[in-house]
Amino acid sequence: MPVPLVDVRAQYERLIPQILGRFQEVLESGTFILGPNVKAFEEETAAYLGVPQTIGVANGTDALVLVLDALEIGAGDEVICPSFTFYATAEAIMRTGATPVFADIDPVTLNIDPEDVAARVTERTRAIMPVHLFGRPADLEPLTGLGVPLIEDAAQAFGARGIATTGVASTFSFFPTKNLFALGDGGLVAATDEELADRVRLLRFHGSRDKQTFTYVGTNSRLDELQAAVLRLFLGELDGWNRARREAAARYAELGLGEFCELPEDEPGHVYHMYVVRTPERLRLAEALSAAGIANASYYVTPTHLQPALERVTRAEPVILPETERASRENLALPMWAGIPAEVQERVVSVVREASTVGAAS
Ligand SMILES: Cc1ncc(COP(=O)(O)O)c(C=O)c1O
């Protein structure tokens, strides 16, 4: 049986009757946009995250752009972010006309390196945008003293401990493979600053409070009722799902995977959105896994600063990020989801073991 990288369906399968019940309620209400489910989901996620307000939006990319727009960041401004992340992080900065300034990552956590960030702050820096990559909370404490607002890109980290309460705002994606996921696209802004939250709320609906007066140039970026209804159900499952992910990560270690590659270092807040190991033998292991029908992936193989869309930014001054480039060559994501069967993990480790032993002998 082929093994997927993420089995989204396995996570929600037993909930299908309840999902259909939630859909039925929305269908009977006849309200599909900014109705009671979105309002309740915003209240419930604010309480869960420990922030005063959240705002449901259409996806995680819009969430980033809306926060930057609400902070009036644009042409002439710089925002520091990692390059070892999904392209949307820097894309959102470029969409506003601002310039992404890339900082290198810490080789152990794969999150932004606070010392490198500090070295890149200039008088043009308007924000720092750390990413809680693969579900591991980035170390924000050293960034708080730099006198620049933090925007946490938490797209991959719903439920991770210690996130969303430090930055002025944090953004989430509910893309179906995420820890908290929708059955389609969805996103959220969580704000610690009430004024900023109010602005994001206006901007997600054309800069208007009442559909009569339009105060800002906003956009149309709303979470819809059907998605919010399901997200409310899934929010109740999230802690259990994240516990199951942590147990699966511990099981990979117990099975001896660490003999053959560098495992992600554990810490209590980590929610393993992806289970990403490192090895200079990445290509050989990936080939052996694929041949055995086990899906695997390497993330950000061309890191953002080397993407064609970034030429405008990097042409002026070459960007050198040694740890980012090493991680882009060495990372390998293995199957991970809430409830991944132990036998599947045993198969993964035995294929890695065999490929490593053959490799060492040849
Ligand atoms: C780190 C990061 N930021 C932003 C996004 C964008 O989210 P969305 O796909 O919902 O627009 C993603 C999505 O994968 C992501 O992983």
Side-chain angles (χ1 to χ4, degrees):
M1 273 269 282
V3 174
L5 189 61
V6 184
D7 191 342
V8 177
R9 196 188 146 96
Q11 297 179 137
Y12 68 73
E13 203 154 29
R14 75 182 162 78
L15 299 169
I16 288 176
Q18 291 172 65
I19 294 168
L20 293 174
R22 302 276 172 129
F23 281 169
Q24 177 99 25
E25 280 170 28
V26 176
L27 291 178
E28 280 169 13
S29 79
T31 300
F32 298 100
I33 302 290
L34 298 187
N37 278 291
V38 171
K39 187 167 184 298
F41 180 63
E42 289 176 347
E43 285 163 8
E44 288 157 11
T45 46
Y48 182 95
L49 294 166
V51 298
Q53 280 200 53
T54 74
I55 303 105
V57 298
N59 55 63
T61 307
D62 279 4
L64 287 168
V65 174
L66 285 164
V67 170
L68 291 163
D69 281 349
L71 289 168
E72 297 183 307
I73 290 174
D77 296 332
E78 294 177 355
V79 178
I80 301 177
C81 69
S83 168
F84 193 67
T85 169
F86 182 54
Y87 170 65
T89 309
E91 183 188 36
I93 298 166
M94 291 189 290
R95 277 275 301 280
T96 68
T99 301
V101 172
F102 295 105
D104 211 351
I105 51 168
D106 176 288
V108 174
T109 65
L110 301 181
N111 279 323
I112 204 162
D113 172 358
E115 268 184 38
D116 199 38
V117 172
R120 291 173 195 268
V121 173
T122 70
E123 73 279 2
R124 288 219 282 263
T125 309
R126 291 285 318 281
I128 299 168
M129 197 184 274
V131 178
H132 302 299
L133 199 73
F134 302 140
R136 185 191 174 111
D139 184 10
L140 302 181
E141 207 275 323
L143 301 176
T144 54
L146 297 174
V148 181
L150 301 186
I151 302 166
E152 302 175 42
D153 181 344
Q156 304 184 2
F158 215 108
R161 215 179 285 169
I163 66 161
T165 49
T166 307
V168 287
S170 303
T171 63
F172 296 89
S173 163
F174 300 131
F175 184 83
T177 56
K178 298 292 194 262
N179 291 45
L180 179 61
F181 58 97
L183 304 178
D185 275 314
L188 192 79
V189 173
T192 55
D193 179 316
E194 298 265 12
E195 223 173 281
L196 183 68
D198 192 48
R199 218 137 197 256
V200 170
R201 200 174 289 288
L202 285 182
L203 291 176
R204 88 168 158 187
F205 181 72
H206 306 292
S208 177
R209 231 178 270 284
D210 58 4
K211 303 186 195 168
Q212 297 292 340
T213 306
F214 297 88
T215 315
Y216 304 110
V217 177
T219 186
N220 174 3
S221 181
R222 301 174 293 220
L223 182 66
D224 73 61
E225 274 294 286
L226 284 167
Q227 296 299 353
V230 173
L231 280 161
R232 291 181 68 198
L233 175 66
F234 289 175
L235 184 64
E237 302 288 326
L238 181 69
D239 287 346
W241 283 338
N242 282 342
R243 260 195 309 279
R245 284 173 181 273
R246 291 188 48 73
E247 282 161 18
R251 197 177 306 124
Y252 270 132
E254 285 155 20
L255 289 167
L257 186 63
E259 287 170 46
F260 314 108
C261 46
E262 198 180 312
L263 305 188
E265 190 196 60
D266 190 37
E267 63 146 299
H270 199 330
V271 289
Y272 295 97
H273 167 55
M274 292 289 167
Y275 188 81
V276 179
V277 301
R278 291 183 69 144
T279 166
E281 300 292 318
R282 190 234 349 250
L283 288 178
R284 200 153 49 75
L285 294 193
E287 233 169 65
L289 287 162
S290 300
I294 298 170
N296 57 89
S298 291
Y299 284 96
Y300 323 128
V301 171
T302 303
T304 314
H305 71 287
L306 299 177
Q307 292 292 343
L310 269 296
E311 266 167 33
R312 159 177 89 76
V313 173
T314 51
R315 202 183 314 122
E317 207 177 319
V319 180
I320 315 276
L321 304 169
E323 290 302 342
T324 294
E325 290 179 29
R326 195 163 70 85
S328 71
R329 287 192 301 273
E330 293 186 351
N331 84 85
L332 181 65
L334 300 177
M336 165 61 78
W337 62 89
I340 182 173
E343 310 82 76
V344 166
Q345 293 189 272
E346 283 160 17
R347 249 180 83 193
V348 172
V349 176
S350 97
V351 172
V352 169
R353 176 177 289 117
E354 200 169 310
S356 306
T357 319
V358 172
S362 60

